[in-house]
Amino acid sequence: SGMPCIYFHCRRYWSIHRKSFIPSGLLSNRIERGRMHSKYKAALSKLTSSSSNNGKKLSGGYSWKEGFQSAIQKLSLAEAAADVQVHGMELRCREQERRHIGSFLRKAIRGLEQPLNNSQDDDSASGGDEGLMNTKSSIFICGPPGTGKTASVRSIINELQEEQASGKLPEFNFIALNGMEMRSPFDSYVKFWEALSGTMKERLSAGAAAAKLEEFFGDGDNDNRNEDRSKKPITVLMLDEIDYLVTKKQTILYNFFDWPLRATSARLIVIGISNTINLPERLSMKLQSRLGGERCHFKSYTVDETVAILKTRLDGDASQVFDEDAIKFASRKTGNLSGDIRKAFQMCKVAAQNALDDYASGRRRIVEGSHPTVKISDVQRGSRDMYTSIIHKAISCSSSYEALVLIAIGALKKAKVGKDIVSLDVQEMLTKIESIANGSGEERYLSARLSLGDLLGILSRLGDAGILTLTTPKHSNHPWPLIQTSLEPYEINSSYRNTPHSKLAEKHLAEQR
C-alpha cells in the first residue's frame, strides 16, 4: 500500500571503529576514502588531479544553481578536511606551523638528531645535523579548537607517505588515536595495540595491552633487540585531545611519551595535540621531562586569515555565490566569537542553503540581468539559525545522560543568578548531576554513575555541537576546563518541552511563581 519505492539511498552506515552511525556521504566520497587506504594512494591522487584539470569545461556559461550547490559542497567540513588531508590541497595561513612539524617528522623518521635551537627550516635535510644533541622523538602541538592542528598533521603525514612510497623516507606506520573517543583513558592502550597488531586486530584488556606495548617498545628480548629493531617499521602515533588521557597519577601520558625515549626493539614517534595551551605546565615535573621542549603553537585565525581561507575554498563557480561583504561579515563574526574556522564554514553553508531555497522556491525574485548571491542578511539569518533553532533542536534530541548534564548546568546557572558570566567547575557538575539523578525517581537517571571521563566526553560532544563552551583559565593550577553556556535556564527548559525529559527539566529549571 502507499507510494511505490522509486529508489533507496542509505544515508548512514555503521562504523566499526567509532561504534556509531555516521553519514555515508556521496559515492564519490566513499571511493575517495577507499583510495585513501590504498597502497597506490600517491599514484591515484596524481592521476585524479591530472584528469580533473584536463576535464574542465571552458565554456563561459554560469548556472547559479550549480554555483550554489558547489559552494554548499565545498563548505562541508568533511569535504574540506578530505581536500586538505587526502588530496593535498594547500592549508592557508598555516605555512610556518606546517614547516615546523614537517621538518621535525622528517628528521625523526630518518633518525637524524635535532638541533638545540628548534630550527624550523630545511624540510628536506638529510644529513647536516649529525653530531648534535639527543634525537627528539615527540612534539606537543597546542591551540584553540578549529585552528587546523589535526588537519595540518594529517596533511603532512599524507605528504610523508608519498615520500615513503617514492623511496625518499624509511618505512613507517601512522596510527591516530583521539582521547575524546575513549570511554576510559586506559582504552588508549587497547586501541593502540589493536592498531599496532596489524591484520590480527588483537583486542586485549587494558593491562594486557599495556604489557604488550611495553614488550614491543621496551627492552623485550635483549639478545635479539637489534635484529628486531631493524625489521620493525617506525611507528608515528598521533594522540589527539590528550587532555582526556590525563589521569590522577598521569601514568598513561607518561608511558606514551616515555616509550619513544627508551624504545630498543622498535622506534616510536609521538605527536601530542591539545586544546589547552599550558597543559604541560599543569602536569608533573616527571611527565614534563618526557614531553620534552619541542612545541608548536597554533593561534586563532584572524579576520583577514578567515577571509583568505573562505575565498580560497570558494573557487570556480562557487566564487560568484557570495558577496564580498557577506564573506567579510562571516569572518568578523567568527573572529569575534572564537576564531574557529569551522564556525565560519558552517555559517556560510547555512546561509547558502537558505538563499538557494528562497530563490528556487520563488520567495525571492531574481533581478533581470544578474544572478542570485548570498548577502549579509543571509549570513545573519544563517548565524541565528545555527546558534538558536538548531541548538534547541539538538537539545531536544539529547540522550538521558546528556539531558541530565544540561539540566544540571541550567540548575547551577539558575542558582548563580545575577552574574554576567557563569563558569562551572567539573567537580561541581558531578555533585549536581548525582543530586538531580537521585532525586528524580526515574530509573534512566538513577542508573547514571558518570565518571570524570564520562562527563568530559559528554561535555566535549555538547561543545562540538555549539551548546556550550569549555574554557581554560589562564591563572589556575586546575587541570580541567570550566564550562560556560550562553543559554539561559528557561531556554533549556523550553527545549525539553514535549520530550521524555520535560518533567525533570520543569522540576529544576521552571521559574518560581
Side-chain angles (χ1 to χ4, degrees), residues 41 69 74 149 220 269 319 323 329 364 405 409 434 439:
K41 178 174 66 173
Q69 291 165 354
K74 288 182 177 182
K149 302 184 295 295
I269 301 166
S319 63
D323 283 350
F329 177 82
R364 288 167 69 175
V405 169
I409 290 173
E434 184 178 2

Side-chain angles (χ1 to χ4, degrees), residues 406-419:
L406 287 171
I407 291 170
I409 290 173
L412 288 170
K413 192 170 182 178
K414 183 181 175 184
K416 298 181 180 182
V417 64
K419 295 186 178 181

Side-chain angles (χ1 to χ4, degrees), residues 37 51 70 87 101 120 165 186 205 287 310 325 332 400 506:
H37 298 287
S51 62
S70 174
H87 304 144
I101 300 168
Q120 298 180 12
F186 293 95
S205 64
L287 179 50
L310 288 172
D325 292 339
R332 285 196 298 271
S400 297
E506 187 72 20

Side-chain angles (χ1 to χ4, degrees), residues 119-369:
S119 175
Q120 298 180 12
D121 58 353
D122 190 12
D123 280 0
S124 58
S126 58
D129 295 320
E130 285 95 340
L132 298 175
M133 297 301 289
N134 63 308
T135 301
K136 297 179 182 178
S137 50
S138 62
I139 182 172
F140 176 73
I141 301 172
C142 59
T147 52
K149 302 184 295 295
T150 305
S152 295
V153 172
R154 286 190 176 274
S155 66
I156 292 166
I157 290 295
N158 185 55
E159 290 180 7
L160 299 182
Q161 287 172 337
E162 291 181 3
E163 293 179 19
Q164 173 193 303
S166 60
K168 295 179 181 178
L169 280 180
E171 183 182 357
F172 71 92
N173 291 330
F174 175 66
I175 297 173
L177 300 179
N178 191 312
M180 192 177 66
E181 296 177 355
M182 309 291 172
R183 296 190 63 179
S184 163
F186 293 95
D187 285 349
S188 56
Y189 291 141
V190 179
K191 297 286 187 183
F192 188 26
W193 178 251
E194 185 179 357
L196 204 60
S197 57
T199 55
M200 295 172 57
K201 294 290 182 184
E202 189 176 5
R203 191 170 183 84
L204 306 173
S205 64
K212 285 281 190 180
L213 290 167
E214 179 67 31
E215 181 182 352
F216 190 87
F217 293 111
D219 294 337
D221 187 350
N222 292 327
D223 296 333
N224 299 322
R225 65 187 183 183
N226 291 328
E227 180 183 354
D228 292 341
R229 185 184 177 99
S230 63
K231 290 181 180 179
K232 294 176 181 176
I234 304 159
T235 301
V236 178
L237 172 65
M238 182 180 75
L239 286 176
D240 205 353
E241 305 284 359
I242 63 172
D243 314 61
Y244 300 98
L245 300 181
V246 178
T247 56
K248 186 175 181 180
K249 295 183 178 180
Q250 301 179 5
T251 53
I252 295 174
L253 281 183
Y254 180 87
N255 286 335
F256 274 115
F257 286 95
D258 184 49
W259 281 324
L261 297 177
R262 58 185 181 85
T264 55
S265 58
R267 285 179 56 203
L268 175 64
I269 301 166
V270 178
I271 307 166
I273 302 178
S274 169
N275 293 334
T276 307
I277 297 173
N278 60 341
L279 178 67
E281 286 70 30
R282 298 181 174 205
L283 303 173
S284 65
M285 295 299 296
K286 183 180 177 182
L287 179 50
Q288 286 184 42
S289 68
R290 293 301 181 268
L291 280 171
E294 193 72 28
R295 309 282 174 88
C296 185
H297 179 206
F298 282 67
K299 297 181 180 179
S300 297
Y301 288 110
T302 64
V303 173
D304 291 339
E305 288 173 340
T306 305
V307 170
I309 291 169
L310 288 172
K311 286 184 176 180
T312 302
R313 188 69 192 151
L314 296 168
D315 58 356
D317 288 345
S319 63
Q320 304 182 50
V321 171
F322 282 80
D323 283 350
E324 180 84 10
D325 292 339
I327 291 179
K328 290 181 179 179
F329 177 82
S331 302
R332 285 196 298 271
K333 192 166 184 65
T334 303
N336 293 334
L337 287 172
S338 62
D340 188 338
I341 194 65
R342 296 172 298 186
K343 302 296 185 186
F345 274 49
Q346 291 173 339
M347 195 184 305
C348 291
K349 182 182 177 182
V350 172
Q353 288 173 330
N354 290 340
L356 176 61
D357 291 342
D358 287 348
Y359 285 118
S361 63
R363 288 194 295 268
R364 288 167 69 175
R365 291 187 300 173
I366 303 174
V367 179
E368 189 175 351

